Amino acid sequence: MAERNCLVANDWICGEYLRSRSQELTDATVQHIWITALSVLIGLAVAFPLALLARRGRHFAGPVLGLTTVLYTVPSLAMFSLLLPLFGLSAALVVTGLVLYSLTILVRNILAGLEAVPQEAREAAQGMGYGPGRLLWEVELPLALPALMAGLRIATVSTVALTTVGSLVGKGGLGNLIEDALPSFFKAQVLTASVLCVVLAVVADLLLLGLQRLLTPWTRIRTPAAQAGLATTEAG
Amino acid sequence: MGVIGDAWTWLVTGANWTGDDGATHRLAEHLFVSGVALAAACALALPLALYLGHIGKGGALAVNISNVGRAVPVFAVLALFMMTPLRNSGYLPTVIALVLFAVPPLLTNAYVGMTQVDRAVVEAARGMGMSGGQLFLRVELPLAYPMIMTGLRSAAVQVVATASIAAMVGLGGLGRIITAGFNTYDTAQVFAGAVLVALLALVVEGVLVALDRLLAPGGRRRTA
């Protein structure tokens, strides 16, 4: 009896809600995770060649950085709505919008990372007979990894939060639950979904931090790794 | 593209611009809440950030607050406000949400700008006998200015974007044109509303870039 009351009384925190709607919550969380993960992965796949292009000189850097900045300025509600005629009410619309947003941060951070590679390291590799592909893959990319990962973490955390706006077209993961709860002022559902969103963002951030530590064991020997985080927050 | 033509027709139809649901009123609402929120956020964040930067303390706060700001969804905060009695207080819930999301970029950028002022310059100013106040007004503030303006720009863009999401929980602003279009399956109206919201954001960004150029201390000699 006492348990049923918290749904009737519309409490903020309700154990019965968690029990009776656990399937709904799981489904929404799973949708949230795959939309976010897919968006960030595609964003990374698009941002990397763009950053390489921007590095080739001012002719490319200007338009690439300018375009991604303009995309970032467009509010998410407008971005998703502008894509509506192209994609209809689909998850592809949300993923495309989120990819476009992630580009700004990812391109800037990858570019900054590549440009910070010491010239001596590059010349040493070339002197050892490294071609451009091997130079990029074995020397420049590992050295640019801390900046790339810092960008990836910022992009992932923002994408987790932005995915909720996808509820506009019914593909917003946990945002759908928030949207559904609005007309009936269902407090427990709004609070639970909101808290889960923040938890997802924090967990994703920590997982990426762990991945970064695994991938770049050498950065822990020197101290400037901590400062890289500070430098990228101002750029974002 | 039929949708773009239809959206254009929507935009040039006078009836869509008049009345309480018209674009003119929605634009006025949007600008009003954005302006009030940005001013309040500046009044809150800038003195704190500049003071912390001046005394060189609170770096962890400045960085963490911007990370928290990124992780919390705007939509969730607005929805939570709608669950409280705040929903009956007109523009207040929107303004509070906008302030919450404008503070992190303002605070972080102003703080970082202050702490990045060259220590040698600060030492030289001290050696010339400048007081703390003089040092702040004549040395640190002008040198931190570019970063403060960067923060202001991203806060303004954030505020305009957040104000449009207010429509998703039934609050006013330009976003209402979009959500109303979704409710009536009117893709042309959705597209037209989206164009208006996007244009507004780009215009705000453009105006602030121009303002930055006009107001920059000592002409446009950026050393950073």
Side-chain angles (χ1 to χ4, degrees), chain B residues 138-160:
Chain B
R138 300 201 197 153
V139 179
E140 290 178 318
L141 200 57
L143 287 172
Y145 176 83
M147 282 299 283
I148 298 173
M149 280 307 281
T150 304
L152 186 66
R153 275 218 318 272
S154 45
V157 168
Q158 172 91 59
V159 159
V160 169

Side-chain angles (χ1 to χ4, degrees), chain B:
Chain B
M1 289 292 280
V3 177
I4 293 175
D6 293 346
W8 176 251
T9 312
W10 192 96
L11 285 172
V12 294
T13 304
N16 290 327
W17 289 80
T18 54
D20 268 2
D21 291 328
T24 317
H25 179 232
R26 293 302 181 199
L27 180 66
E29 278 181 330
H30 207 106
L31 289 173
F32 172 73
V33 290
S34 302
V36 170
L38 195 60
C42 284
L44 266 174
L46 290 183
L48 181 65
L50 296 176
Y51 176 69
L52 288 175
H54 179 67
I55 61 170
K57 287 190 177 131
L61 171 82
V63 173
N64 284 328
I65 202 166
S66 96
N67 290 338
V68 171
R70 248 193 296 274
V72 178
V74 173
F75 179 44
V77 169
L78 283 163
L80 284 170
F81 282 168
M82 294 308 280
M83 299 296 125
T84 69
L86 259 184
R87 66 170 173 271
N88 299 318
S89 15
Y91 295 117
L92 196 61
T94 320
V95 171
I96 296 176
L98 298 188
V99 170
L100 285 178
F101 285 95
V103 162
L106 282 169
L107 194 70
T108 307
N109 281 286
Y111 178 82
V112 171
M114 287 292 282
T115 53
Q116 279 182 347
V117 172
D118 194 342
R119 281 298 104 190
V121 177
V122 174
E123 298 297 320
R126 281 244 166 78
M128 286 168 69
M130 280 196 183
S131 68
Q134 285 174 322
L135 174 72
F136 171 71
L137 279 177
R138 300 201 197 153
V139 179
E140 290 178 318
L141 200 57
L143 287 172
Y145 176 83
M147 282 299 283
I148 298 173
M149 280 307 281
T150 304
L152 186 66
R153 275 218 318 272
S154 45
V157 168
Q158 172 91 59
V159 159
V160 169
T162 309
S164 66
I165 294 178
M168 289 178 70
V169 298
L171 295 165
L174 263 187
R176 278 298 274 275
I177 298 172
I178 297 176
T179 50
F182 267 107
N183 289 338
T184 52
Y185 303 98
D186 186 346
T187 309
Q189 184 179 337
V190 169
F191 199 81
V195 169
L196 287 178
V197 172
L199 274 180
L200 178 66
L202 292 172
V203 167
V204 166
E205 165 96 3
V207 166
L208 284 170
V209 169
L211 212 65
D212 182 17
R213 298 232 165 107
L214 274 175
L215 296 178
R220 213 50 312 232
R221 279 182 291 126
R222 265 197 197 189
T223 41

Side-chain angles (χ1 to χ4, degrees), chain A residues 36 40 98 101-103 105-106 109 149-162 208, chain B residues 70:
Chain A
T36 303
V40 173
L98 294 173
Y101 276 118
S102 69
L103 288 182
I105 297 159
L106 290 174
N109 274 272
M149 290 300 291
L152 193 62
R153 283 171 61 197
I154 296 175
T156 306
V157 170
S158 333
T159 305
V160 170
L162 268 176
L208 285 172
Chain B
R70 248 193 296 274

